[in-house]
Amino acid sequence: MTRPCEERSVPVIQRHLFGPGPSNPYPEATAALALPLLGHLDPAFLEIMDSACDGLREVWGTRNRRTLPLSATGSAGMEAAFVNTVEDGDVVVVAVNGLFGERMCDVAARCGAEVVRVDFPYGQPIDPQQVAEAHPAPKIIAAVHAETSTGVRSDIAALGELKGDALLLVDAVTSIGGIELRADEWGVDLGYAGTQKCLGVAPGLAPFTISDAAFERRVRHPRSWYLDLGMLGGYVGEAQGRARTYHHTAPTAMIASLDAGLRRISEEGLENVWARHQAAGDALQDGLQEMGLELFAAEGHRLPELTTVKVPEGVDSAAVRAHLLEHYSLEIGAGVKEYADTVWRIGLMGPNAHAGSVALVLGALQEALRKTPLPV
């Protein structure tokens, strides 16, 4: 029996998404999702796709022809980077200073790599010299630019200067659109990211770039059909202005949303967007310390867009986060692994990187700390 419509209605919930991602999207990106749907081979859509690829080149800081939004989330971007470049026995050096460096090791190993793991403490940046000296002739050196699990920024430019003949593969999921990123200038050969953080777009796409040099050294018949960059290149990226080779049905509404978000960033000015994220992050971190809280990430290497703060002794981390969600509709994230109960992750990304968000987070967190009962 069909229930009456009123019984099937679901309330619309509006959250302040101040965790490690997703962030609230830019209004322009949300509005684009409501535009009439286009087919994935419609000439009007292909113009949008080309525009989005151009916008991605801007935020990546690259002129790579093969810069495109993969039709999957950022984790698929990671898999695409490795599955297209790693053959059995290839040496891959991975810098690990958080959860996503660890995930790189797992994905590279599944692709048949001999993984050389170089570990650094959570909360600390990588040491580019140590990473570069870990193996005399790796095919790939991989690192995370902005480690989402710890709120730490590492020096990718320095690593690029030391890479030698290796391909430099970079995770820019939390950095793209939020802090300085210059793929070509820094020697990045492959990079992947996500739409749901500083780009201010809903999750669902993986901004990806690969240099011509890396493309020439790719696996010609990778294990993944869906993520085969040789096949994908005939549909997007390198195919601009030429006939398209059908590969898959692209998520046209998501790509229109991405294009709108990238246009929003370009209109503000990319360096202005970086500065806005920096100002919001600095204000939040200053305010947290004025409250007597201790920051987790190493000083001098803290991300402005994602702040990690230590949970005060005796405070129930989960109870505070639940209070914020219930009373302020405000989400912050827990830490990861052994820091799950002792660290909070607070993101001010995309449209959330502004002074009003800082005031809301600080006021709500202060009230939550007062009213949340201590654990028994």
Side-chain angles (χ1 to χ4, degrees), residues 254-267:
M254 272 301 305
I255 291 169
S257 180
L258 172 62
D259 182 51
L262 292 168
R263 287 177 181 274
R264 163 68 175 76
I265 290 170
S266 184
E267 287 168 5

Side-chain angles (χ1 to χ4, degrees), residues 237-255:
E238 65 182 293
Q240 289 190 10
R242 300 202 301 273
R244 310 288 170 138
T245 303
Y246 168 71
H247 180 261
H248 68 283
T249 301
T252 56
M254 272 301 305
I255 291 169

Side-chain angles (χ1 to χ4, degrees), residues 61-87:
T62 187
R63 299 179 68 181
N64 290 341
R65 289 184 297 155
R66 299 173 186 89
T67 300
L68 64 152
L70 297 179
S71 301
T73 60
S75 294
M78 179 188 295
E79 189 143 354
F82 285 110
V83 80
N84 280 278
T85 54
V86 174
E87 299 188 82

Side-chain angles (χ1 to χ4, degrees), residues 14-30:
Q14 178 70 40
R15 299 289 195 206
H16 301 287
L17 297 177
F18 296 156
S23 72
N24 296 103
Y26 285 113
E28 295 88 343
T30 299

